[in-house]
Amino acid sequence: MSSRYLFPADYMADPAAHVWGDRIWIYPSHDRESGIPERDNGDHFDMVDYHALSIEPDAEGRLDPLTGDVVDHGVMLSLAEIPWAKRQLWDSDVAEKDGRYYLYFCAKDAADVFHLGVATAARPEGPFVPEPTPIDGSYSIDPCCFRDPKTGAYYLAFGGIWGGQLQRYRDNRAVYTADEDTLPKENRAALEPDDDQPALCAKLVRLTDDMKGFAEPPRDLLIVDAEGRPLTAGDHTRRFFEASWLSYRDGAYHFTYSTGDTHLICDAVSATVEGPYVYRGVLLDPQVGWTTHACVTEVEGAWYLFHHDSVPSGGRTWLRSLKVCKLPEAR
Ligand code: FUB
């Protein structure tokens, strides 16, 4: 499969790609060398701003992610502008509704608890103005905003285990709040279900009409096997870890996600946006670097996988580079 490094000039990761107007807009995390030592909880991913990138049309007006010029539109939101956020601007996504743009992002607050935030702009490249507080009822990481093409309703899918803190929550309530890295490993593991129990799920929630809040309590985005059984917590090559992405292709809803410690990008399908989603297979094999994260986006009738790896930084897992490849038609 032919692929391309999208933006060799800087380290960026976790792409969310959308086609708006005559170009492709890409919203990545902006990696940097902070000097923070590596920890299991991901403290070394200490990002402080977001940039918008675009892929430009060619002279004939055609869009090709594999060849089009990539433009960096600069900083669209920085940590210092977000009143509630203290560190670690991780994965984000942007949605368009009625000519306005909504940036969903995650960050740690002063108590080192992850929440989701929202910021708005009149243009896809920003500048984005953040709300003063996190989205009420939000927690964990990796928001993906999806417009259901059948109903026009907007949803957020989110969540991530381990450093993403999803294991601290049950029924949308925190059952544990301290830093798990201060616990012995066996106590940390106790926050996750036993290996033969259903795995923790990504969360799915419908957004309010103004796009700034949850219209309902987040529900589980359940992934089941071909027999309809929920994937189990011990099934590390298939269970959800982080990096939610929703798309509608070939007449089905697709949930794409990372399996984290087994470094796979997987695909699951459903007839409804709410699920359950049936596990279907691997979209992307392990890449260089610990994290893997992808989105699947349609560009002029073909589907592309935008993702990242750590090859250009010599394997430094916190310094990642954006890539794109065409999704094989069989997938
Ligand atoms: O970029 C920081 C974190 O790494 C993201 O939020 C995860 O999805 C992983 O890619």
Side-chain angles (χ1 to χ4, degrees), residues 14 29 45 47 90-91 141-142 242-243 291 293 308 320:
D14 307 329
S29 304
F45 294 96
M47 297 81 108
W90 285 13
D91 173 47
I141 60 166
D142 287 9
E242 63 186 4
T291 70
H293 192 124
H308 68 234
R320 302 161 292 180

Side-chain angles (χ1 to χ4, degrees), residues 14-18 26 243-247 256 265 283 293-297 304-307 324-325 327:
D14 307 329
H18 299 277
I26 303 171
S244 294
W245 183 259
L246 285 165
S247 57
T256 307
I265 296 292
L283 282 189
H293 192 124
C295 74
V296 179
T297 302
Y304 293 86
L305 188 84
F306 295 77
H307 64 104
V324 64
C325 60
L327 201 65

Side-chain angles (χ1 to χ4, degrees), residues 119-286:
T120 55
R123 302 176 56 81
E125 68 271 38
F128 282 86
V129 178
E131 293 296 305
T133 54
I135 297 175
D136 205 20
S138 72
Y139 55 93
S140 198
I141 60 166
D142 287 9
C144 149
C145 190
F146 175 70
R147 179 182 176 275
D148 184 345
K150 291 186 181 171
T151 64
Y154 287 79
Y155 292 84
L156 276 192
F158 67 91
I161 63 173
W162 298 11
Q165 302 180 345
L166 187 62
Q167 67 280 1
R168 299 180 178 189
Y169 296 83
R170 295 292 185 276
D171 299 325
N172 300 316
R173 290 199 130 80
V175 292
Y176 187 84
T177 50
D179 181 351
E180 286 117 273
D181 267 18
T182 61
L183 291 173
K185 278 233 187 237
E186 59 275 17
N187 296 9
R188 268 187 257 168
L191 293 175
E192 288 184 67
D194 288 341
D195 279 358
D196 61 351
Q197 294 301 303
L200 293 172
C201 293
K203 301 292 170 184
L204 181 75
V205 62
R206 194 166 50 79
L207 290 170
T208 50
D209 283 347
D210 70 359
M211 302 286 277
K212 293 180 180 173
F214 292 171
E216 58 190 7
R219 67 182 82 190
D220 282 347
L221 197 158
L222 183 65
I223 308 172
V224 297
D225 65 17
E227 282 72 47
R229 289 180 302 241
L231 298 186
T232 55
D235 187 354
H236 288 217
T237 56
R238 296 194 299 175
R239 61 93 171 89
F240 169 78
F241 189 99
E242 63 186 4
S244 294
W245 183 259
L246 285 165
S247 57
Y248 186 78
R249 58 181 202 274
D250 304 331
Y253 296 86
H254 286 249
F255 181 57
T256 307
Y257 60 98
S258 162
T259 60
D261 57 330
T262 49
H263 317 290
L264 300 166
I265 296 292
C266 293
D267 188 39
V269 292
S270 170
T272 65
V273 67
E274 289 88 4
Y277 285 79
V278 181
Y279 176 85
R280 223 176 60 146
V282 172
L283 282 189
L284 186 68
D285 293 327

